[in-house]
């Protein structure tokens, strides 16, 4: 049972997430954790009984999510405002660099994430940021694909939940309701809020912001929640793990396969079956042995040639297909010496698939970070922040910054770019700061 959705329904709210989306999130979560029960668990028959086995996995869902998080939000990303010290202190107190990277990783895995800001009575951290994954996000009202009203939950005990409900009012304010409740046999009991937390708060700023991969949902087109970055690469992940498991089995089976006539083996009379057949006395979980009646000379063995090169090629092809489906391009990953590596020698090009997809994802993340900063500064000052906020992403991994900077200098010389635009781009300044910092006409160009 979806406890949060059921509780909200009893309060009179209707969660906008479809049953299909909930099933998808559960599937994506299994792939993110590394094992999908219906796929990775299987059996092998050894001639007497079926032995349970578990497929090996390369964990490509986790790796793809990690890689997108590192590309989008690393230590070089900068956020610039006119209230920089206030912002920096709050971000540092909330371990923002680390936690935001983790949230983006989970967002690309599960399709949706959220930053939620609220005031705190903690003297060391006056403003708190919650980092919410898709399982605890419940959209309540959607307009043109944007989540307007939303509830966010967290588990604070075995059967105890904290939930806050954000609803936009007709005057533009937001009403935030905080509730703690217990779940016992599907019965809900309202509990006490933590010290200093008010049941209802009104704010002039939106105190949450939704992030998701910039991918159209082709599975449920009316769903407001986002799509996992590997939602359309499940077949490719299955293919990767199938081949990776086969790689392991190649060595396991390649050492030798032994066919045994049970009549020449030691037997355990106490384990005789109802039909009078006696069981061989060897480990039934060892699939190296295969019991076979009427084998000549009692024992036969086979010795296979290992197909290492064929497996390497097949696995590389499967990984290439997966990387391409996730937006990295077909040469992003390399399977070498039993591990998956990110290719360091990728072609630096603004026309590459990776570059274009990265810039596309940055569009949504930039807006989300701007709304987050406004919520933080509102919580810190009590006033709506209306000044410029500059988000400077780090594209140095796939861009030649020196070449691009020289190109911009050439544009200035030709009059195609102003010094103000140059300073805003390369120094991370607001428009006002860039204008005030323009050099005198007799000073050299940067």
């Amino acid at each position: 049972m979806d406890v949060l959705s059921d509780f909200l329904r009893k309060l009179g709210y209707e969660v906008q997430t479809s049953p299909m989306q909930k099933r998808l999130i559960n599937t994506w979560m299994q792939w993110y954790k590394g094992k999908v029960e219906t796929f990775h668990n299987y059996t092998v028959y050894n001639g007497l009984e079926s032995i349970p086995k578990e497929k090996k996995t390369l964990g490509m869902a986790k790796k793809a999510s990690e890689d997108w998080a590192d590309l989008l939000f690393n230590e070089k990303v900068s956020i610039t405002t006119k209230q920089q010290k206030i912002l920096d202190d709050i971000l540092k107190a909330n371990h923002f660099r680390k936690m935001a990277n983790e949230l983006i990783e989970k967002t690309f895995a599960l399709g949706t994430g959220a930053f939620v800001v609220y005031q705190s009575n903690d003297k060391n951290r006056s403003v708190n940021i919650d980092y919410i994954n898709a399982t605890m996000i419940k959209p309540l009202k959607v307009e043109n694909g944007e989540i307007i009203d939303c509830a966010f939950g967290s588990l604070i005990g075995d059967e105890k939940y904290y939930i806050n409900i954000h609803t936009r009012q007709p005057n533009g304010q937001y009403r935030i309701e905080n509730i703690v409740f217990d779940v016992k046999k599907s019965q809900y009991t309202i509990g006490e809020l933590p010290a200093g937390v008010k049941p209802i708060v009104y704010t002039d700023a939106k105190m949450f912001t939704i992030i998701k991969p910039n991918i159209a949902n082709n599975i449920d087109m009316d769903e407001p929640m986002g799509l996992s970055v590997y939602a359309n690469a499940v077949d490719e992940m299955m293919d990767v793990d199938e081949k990776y498991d086969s790689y392991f089995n190649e060595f396991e089976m390649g050492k030798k396969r032994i066919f045994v006539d049970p009549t020449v083996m030691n037997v355990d009379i106490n384990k005789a079956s109802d039909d009078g057949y006696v069981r061989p006395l060897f480990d039934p979980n060892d699939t190296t042995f295969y019991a076979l009646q009427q084998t000549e000379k009692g024992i036969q063995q086979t010795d296979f040639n290992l197909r290492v090169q064929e497996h390497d090629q097949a696995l590389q092809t499967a990984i290439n297909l997966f990387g391409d489906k996730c937006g990295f391009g077909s040469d992003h990953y390399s399977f070498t010496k039993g591990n998956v590596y990110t290719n360091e020698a990728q072609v630096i090009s603004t026309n590459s698939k990776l570059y274009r997809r990265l810039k596309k994802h940055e569009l949504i993340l930039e807006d989300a970070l701007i709304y987050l900063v406004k919520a933080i500064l509102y919580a810190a000052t009590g006033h709506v922040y209306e000044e410029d906020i500059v988000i400077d992403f780090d594209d140095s991994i796939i861009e030649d910054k020196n070449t691009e900077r020289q190109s911009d200098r050439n544009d200035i010389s030709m009059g195609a770019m102003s010094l103000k635009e140059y300073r805003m781009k390369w120094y991370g300044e607001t428009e006002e700061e860039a204008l005030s910092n323009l050099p005198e006409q007799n000073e050299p160009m940067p």
Side-chain angles (χ1 to χ4, degrees):
M1 180 182 66
D2 185 343
V3 172
L4 294 180
S5 296
D6 189 56
F7 178 73
L8 288 165
R9 194 173 298 110
K10 291 182 184 302
L11 293 180
Y13 297 102
E14 191 61 39
V15 177
Q16 300 301 305
T17 303
S18 68
M20 178 185 291
Q21 184 74 8
K22 294 175 184 177
R23 290 192 298 271
L24 288 172
I25 290 173
N26 180 60
T27 299
W28 300 333
M29 176 71 82
Q30 291 182 63
W31 279 106
Y32 180 62
K33 289 181 176 180
K35 298 286 186 180
V36 180
E37 184 176 354
T38 56
F39 174 70
H40 288 95
N41 294 335
Y42 66 105
T43 59
V44 173
Y45 187 65
N46 70 353
L48 295 174
E49 56 187 311
S50 295
I51 307 303
K53 301 282 286 184
E54 186 177 79
K55 279 189 178 75
K56 303 293 183 181
T57 177
L58 274 175
M60 295 306 297
K62 166 74 171 170
K63 185 162 185 59
S65 303
E66 283 182 353
D67 286 354
W68 273 119
D70 292 344
L71 284 169
L72 284 163
F73 197 85
N74 52 54
E75 71 282 355
K76 294 182 180 180
V77 174
S78 65
I79 304 174
T80 307
T81 73
K82 283 194 172 181
Q83 295 185 326
Q84 197 66 39
K85 187 177 187 312
I86 294 175
L87 177 65
D88 288 345
D89 288 346
I90 292 171
L91 294 180
K92 183 177 180 180
N94 282 274
H95 309 290
F96 181 71
R97 293 283 175 181
K98 173 181 180 296
M99 298 302 295
N101 181 274
E102 286 186 10
L103 178 64
I104 293 170
E105 178 184 324
K106 293 174 184 176
T107 297
F108 273 68
L110 304 182
T112 312
F115 297 107
V116 181
V117 178
Y118 62 96
Q119 290 179 317
S120 169
N121 292 324
D122 188 341
K123 63 179 181 180
N124 297 317
R125 189 167 65 181
S126 60
V127 177
N128 281 358
I129 305 171
D130 276 347
Y131 307 87
I132 312 296
N133 68 61
T135 62
M136 291 292 181
I137 299 173
K138 306 299 175 184
L140 303 176
K141 182 179 180 182
V142 180
E143 292 181 357
N144 295 322
E146 179 186 357
I147 297 174
I148 304 299
D149 298 349
C150 196
F152 305 95
S154 57
L155 187 63
I156 56 177
D158 291 338
E159 295 181 314
K160 195 173 185 179
Y161 289 83
Y162 171 78
I163 191 169
N164 55 85
I165 306 166
H166 298 241
T167 53
R168 190 174 66 184
Q169 305 300 293
N171 63 359
Q173 280 190 318
Y174 263 88
R175 178 183 184 271
I176 304 171
E177 184 175 2
N178 299 296
I179 303 173
V180 169
F181 66 94
D182 290 304
V183 183
K184 291 182 180 179
K185 297 181 179 179
S186 300
Q187 298 297 318
Y188 302 107
T189 304
I190 304 299
E192 292 186 6
L193 291 168
V197 176
K198 298 178 181 179
I200 297 176
V201 177
Y202 288 89
T203 64
D204 293 325
K206 185 180 179 181
M207 303 305 286
F208 72 90
T209 181
I210 301 293
I211 58 174
K212 52 187 177 180
N214 197 355
I215 305 171
N217 193 329
N218 63 313
I219 301 174
D220 187 352
M221 297 186 188
D222 296 323
E223 172 59 48
M225 299 280 276
L227 203 66
S228 168
V229 74
Y230 50 79
N232 286 288
V234 172
D235 287 346
E236 286 71 19
M237 285 191 291
M238 293 171 66
D239 190 32
V240 168
D241 284 357
E242 196 73 65
K243 288 180 170 60
Y244 187 55
D245 186 66
S246 177
Y247 205 122
F248 269 81
N249 288 335
E250 183 74 7
F251 285 89
E252 180 181 340
M253 302 295 290
K255 56 187 178 183
K256 276 183 182 178
R257 186 69 167 161
I258 301 174
F259 297 93
V260 183
D261 188 332
T263 61
V264 302
M265 296 293 291
N266 292 328
V267 296
D268 187 347
I269 303 301
N270 293 326
K271 292 187 177 179
S273 60
D274 293 338
D275 58 6
Y277 181 77
V278 289
R279 300 288 181 180
L281 193 61
F282 58 84
D283 184 2
N285 292 312
D286 190 345
T287 54
T288 303
F289 294 95
Y290 192 98
L292 187 65
Q293 297 283 349
Q294 298 178 347
T295 300
E296 294 181 7
K297 299 180 182 179
I299 297 176
Q300 287 184 341
Q301 67 182 27
T302 57
D303 197 356
F304 297 102
N305 293 321
L306 296 177
R307 299 166 299 169
V308 177
Q309 185 175 0
E310 290 87 344
H311 274 84
D312 281 343
Q313 293 174 349
L315 191 50
Q316 184 63 61
T317 298
I319 291 173
N320 289 346
L321 290 170
F322 171 79
D324 194 52
K325 276 289 190 74
C326 292
F328 295 116
S330 60
D331 60 349
H332 186 72
Y333 293 118
S334 175
F335 182 76
T336 307
K337 296 180 180 179
N339 290 299
V340 177
Y341 297 95
T342 300
N343 285 328
E344 298 294 338
Q346 292 188 81
V347 178
I348 299 174
S349 171
T350 55
N351 291 320
S352 70
K353 183 170 187 175
L354 175 58
Y355 178 86
R356 286 183 278 111
R357 190 62 59 87
L358 179 64
K359 304 307 290 184
K360 182 180 176 181
H361 289 317
E362 284 176 359
L363 294 174
I364 286 185
L365 185 57
E366 181 178 24
D367 286 344
L369 291 175
I370 288 173
Y371 277 110
L372 171 64
V373 171
K374 289 182 177 182
I376 289 172
L377 294 178
Y378 176 81
T381 66
H383 302 288
V384 177
Y385 184 80
E386 301 288 0
E387 304 294 336
D388 288 337
I389 299 169
V390 178
I391 312 295
D392 185 22
F393 290 102
D394 170 43
D395 296 331
S396 61
I397 298 174
I398 57 172
E399 287 185 304
D400 186 341
K401 287 288 187 181
N402 291 331
T403 301
E404 185 185 356
R405 191 162 187 165
Q406 184 58 50
S407 176
D408 285 352
R409 288 173 177 173
N410 293 338
D411 285 346
I412 292 174
S413 300
M414 295 187 301
M417 184 179 194
S418 69
L419 282 173
K420 179 194 74 174
E421 292 172 323
Y422 182 92
R423 294 194 67 92
M424 290 176 68
K425 177 177 180 178
W426 291 105
Y427 293 91
E429 297 176 342
T430 63
E431 183 176 1
E432 185 177 5
E433 289 171 338
L435 288 171
S436 65
N437 291 327
L438 288 179
E440 299 295 333
Q441 289 189 358
N442 59 349
E443 290 186 14
M445 185 179 67

